[in-house]
Every structure is written in structure tokens, then in C-alpha cells.
Amino acid sequence: MAFIRSSRSPWHPDSGLQLPSSEITPQEVYASRRTWLAQAALGSAVVAGGGLGALLNPAQALAQGASGSLVKRPGKLAALPGVRSAVPGAIAMEKITAYEDITTYNNFYEFGTDKSAPAENAHTLRPRPWTVSIEGEVGKPLTLGIDDLLKLGAMEERIYRLRCVEGWSMVIPWVGYSLSTLIKRAEPNSRAKYVEFITLADPKQMPGVRSGVLDWPYVEGLRIDEAMHPLTLMAFGLYGEVLPNQNGAPLRLVVPWKYGFKSAKSIVKIRLVEKEPVSSWTKANRGEYGFYSNVNPKVDHPRWSQASERRIGEGGIFTPRKATLMFNGYEAQVGQLYAGMDLKKFY
């Protein structure tokens, strides 16, 4: 694959690039069928608010109690203890993407620009010891180690869609807790309008940082109400286990209604700020990657349509594409965050 400069996206649907064998691997479904059926029958809408109780409507509470089990662990990495099966944002009857595909088809430029590069190169990442600082417009700046972060909130398994800006998607069983759980500990003040995420950029651990593909470290940002929304997840694992290095160990952001590049990996610093931060891809090419980057099938990327997507692991390149859903299918939960905004202007 040719080296990608900062003004280019890593892949686009019309590139003609050869697809890896993982994309035609038969898919395994590990979820409890009873839980899936309950969610399908009862719905999976999530209402805004704080805490798990506020996330669940009565139908979801019934679905959660449907004798389901967590998505089966493949037993490759250490299990995260005390994980409970939660249904905020869960997807009724959509197949969960196979662990092999989730962990071998990645964008993580710190380890290279090919989709297979993170799985091949991320063994050099050292996820322990690890600390994350929370600073800026807060009353209580914090620096927490990974063990403290793991204990900060109740671990929940949440099955979210992931939609890449490149036109492909997955369905992933993440493990973590709402980002708001962490941010609240720092006591944001009234000037905290945005949240900036800064990731690790160590050339000794991350060979891709030696390249000029982006201006390192990787930076992302959210508006404060987006960051505090209960669907916004601080993820520490997937499939019930700790995050594999190539998926953003030891902790990453997951914002399911935005394109995947908004979900920063291997975070080391969180800053609450008054002015809109400049995200890495926005800095690289503002005309193609806006600050919000909400999934929107009506707003095309300048070089390809966003109206449909290719689900990884479901038959390969010749499988019919799926229609992309507004806000990646989470419009009922997050649409009110953008009421009155011109979504074509604020892309």
C-alpha cells in the first residue's frame, strides 16, 4: 500500500485496494440469543441522563434481565473482572463482528497506515504502567493510574456500531463506563466548553510516530455536552477482555454516533478547555474532516459517498452495502445535541 500523506484518508471505497482475508472469514456470533431477541422485541432506545438507571427505559430493563450472558471471551488476553451486561445503545439482532476482524483490521497510524500494521506492530506498546492526567478548566486536576481508572466506575459491556469515515463498519462489544464518570471527578468549571484528548506519541513504542503522516501526538476533541452524554464511553476492553494493543490499549474513547477517528486511542491526557480544540485530522485537512464528524449519510466526504457502508466480516467486497443511518443509528439518543445546527455546515 502506498504511503499516505496527511491530506489523504487511509482508504476510500473506490481505491481498488486488495482486501485482507479477514474480510471473508465466516463470522461467529457469540451473544446470547435470548438477550438479542429480547432487545429486538423490546427496542433499544436510550434516554439522555446520568447513570445506568437513567439510560434504561422500562423495555430495556426487561431486555437486560433476559437471562443473557456477556459476549463470549476468546481467552486471548486477561479478562476484565466484574463486568456487567448493560444494554445502553445495544443493537437488536445485528451480528457482532468477529474478534479476529476487530483486532486485525484497524486504523492506528502510530503503528503504520496499512490495516494490518497495528496487529503486526503494536506488540511494542507497553500499556503498563500508564497514567492519565485530567487538567485545564477543572476544580480538581487529577492524575490517575490505570488500576485506579479501572476501579473508578462499574464496568459495563456495551454493543455499539462503529462506522469509519472510509465507508466500512463493525459491531463491537466494548467494555467500559461512561466518560462522564471520569470527567465529573475533576469537577469541571463553567468555562469548560470542550474536552480535548491527547494520546501517546512515543516513537520507541510506536514506529508510525516517526512518519509525517500526521502531526503527533494525535489529538481529538468533543463539545462538553457530547463528552458528558451517557453513550460516550471510556473503553478498557472488548469481548470481556482488556483492550488489545492494536485497538487502543489500555484505554480509548468510543463515541458511537461519530466517525471512528473521533474515538482517540491510548489516551494519556484529557484537557477541559474554553475554545474548540483542533483535532488531528481537521488540522491535516479541514476541508475533509470537520470537528464534529457526526455520521451523516446526507453529507458526503469530498471523495466518496457516505450513504452506505461495508460491514467488515460479512462476505467481503461483493456483499451488498448497508444503508448508513443518521448518527450511526443513535439519532433518537443524540439528535437533540445538534438541534438548530446546520449539519452540512457543522460537519
Side-chain angles (χ1 to χ4, degrees):
M1 179 176 178
F3 183 78
I4 307 297
R5 295 292 178 185
S6 61
S7 62
R8 300 288 293 177
S9 176
W11 178 88
H12 64 87
D14 300 319
S15 66
L17 294 176
Q18 184 176 0
L19 300 178
S21 59
S22 63
E23 290 203 26
I24 57 175
T25 301
Q27 187 155 340
E28 296 179 296
V29 181
Y30 294 94
S32 162
R33 184 163 181 79
R34 288 187 64 189
T35 299
W36 288 106
L37 290 173
Q39 291 177 21
L42 296 170
S44 59
V46 179
V47 296
L52 183 62
L55 280 167
L56 302 178
N57 62 28
Q60 287 175 303
L62 289 173
Q64 187 185 26
S67 301
S69 59
L70 295 173
V71 174
K72 182 180 177 181
R73 295 192 297 264
K76 297 178 184 293
L77 296 172
L80 286 167
V83 179
R84 64 187 183 186
S85 182
V87 295
I91 308 162
M93 296 306 291
E94 289 197 28
K95 290 183 179 180
I96 297 173
T97 303
Y99 182 89
E100 179 186 1
D101 291 324
I102 295 171
T103 57
T104 59
Y105 193 88
N106 309 103
N107 284 328
F108 199 172
Y109 279 18
E110 287 87 336
F111 297 102
T113 56
D114 289 347
K115 292 292 186 290
S116 61
E120 294 169 355
N121 299 330
H123 62 277
T124 56
L125 178 66
R126 298 189 300 273
R128 284 177 178 270
W130 196 279
T131 59
V132 176
S133 63
I134 309 172
E135 57 191 55
E137 299 294 349
V138 297
K140 188 179 179 181
L142 300 172
T143 298
L144 298 172
I146 186 61
D147 290 320
D148 293 327
L149 288 161
L150 287 167
K151 298 173 185 176
L152 198 63
M155 288 287 170
E156 299 170 354
E157 181 173 75
R158 300 193 190 176
I159 301 169
Y160 285 164
R161 295 181 187 91
L162 171 70
R163 172 60 154 83
C164 182
V165 71
E166 299 166 349
W168 56 266
S169 63
M170 297 182 179
V171 178
I172 300 178
W174 300 107
V175 176
Y177 48 73
S178 293
L179 174 65
S180 60
T181 302
L182 176 56
I183 292 179
K184 287 176 182 177
R185 293 297 183 98
E187 300 177 3
N189 62 39
S190 60
R191 295 183 296 276
K193 307 298 183 185
Y194 297 89
V195 183
E196 182 181 57
F197 304 89
I198 301 171
T199 68
L200 182 68
D202 182 355
K204 295 180 179 179
Q205 299 183 60
M206 298 170 152
V209 172
R210 303 186 193 109
S211 76
V213 67
L214 287 171
D215 187 8
W216 309 108
Y218 193 89
V219 175
E220 259 305 337
L222 297 172
R223 217 168 54 190
I224 186 69
D225 56 346
E226 297 175 320
M228 299 300 285
H229 192 280
L231 284 188
T232 303
L233 186 70
M234 183 59 75
F236 298 86
L238 58 83
Y239 269 87
E241 298 178 347
V242 297
L243 279 173
N245 285 1
Q246 61 266 36
N247 292 94
L251 76 166
R252 61 167 292 165
L253 188 65
V254 180
V255 192
W257 69 92
K258 294 179 179 288
Y259 291 118
F261 68 86
K262 293 292 294 183
S263 296
K265 305 177 180 76
S266 300
I267 296 169
V268 294
K269 184 181 294 186
I270 299 173
R271 297 180 64 242
L272 283 84
V273 296
E274 191 169 6
K275 296 182 179 180
E276 182 180 291
V278 179
S279 301
S280 288
W281 276 107
T282 303
K283 185 176 182 180
N285 193 333
R286 185 176 294 273
E288 295 192 357
Y289 306 101
F291 173 78
Y292 286 95
S293 291
N294 292 318
V295 176
N296 188 342
K298 298 179 181 179
V299 176
D300 291 336
H301 188 280
R303 291 182 279 122
W304 58 81
S305 169
Q306 294 289 20
S308 65
E309 62 201 62
R310 179 172 51 92
R311 183 62 53 81
I312 299 301
E314 294 189 5
I317 192 170
F318 299 110
T319 300
R321 296 171 67 87
K322 296 177 179 289
T324 292
L325 302 174
M326 186 66 193
F327 293 112
N328 204 23
Y330 302 97
E331 184 174 11
Q333 293 80 43
V334 303
Q336 71 278 4
L337 296 178
Y338 311 101
M341 292 179 62
D342 182 347
L343 297 182
K344 291 186 177 180
K345 178 180 180 181
F346 294 96
Y347 60 92

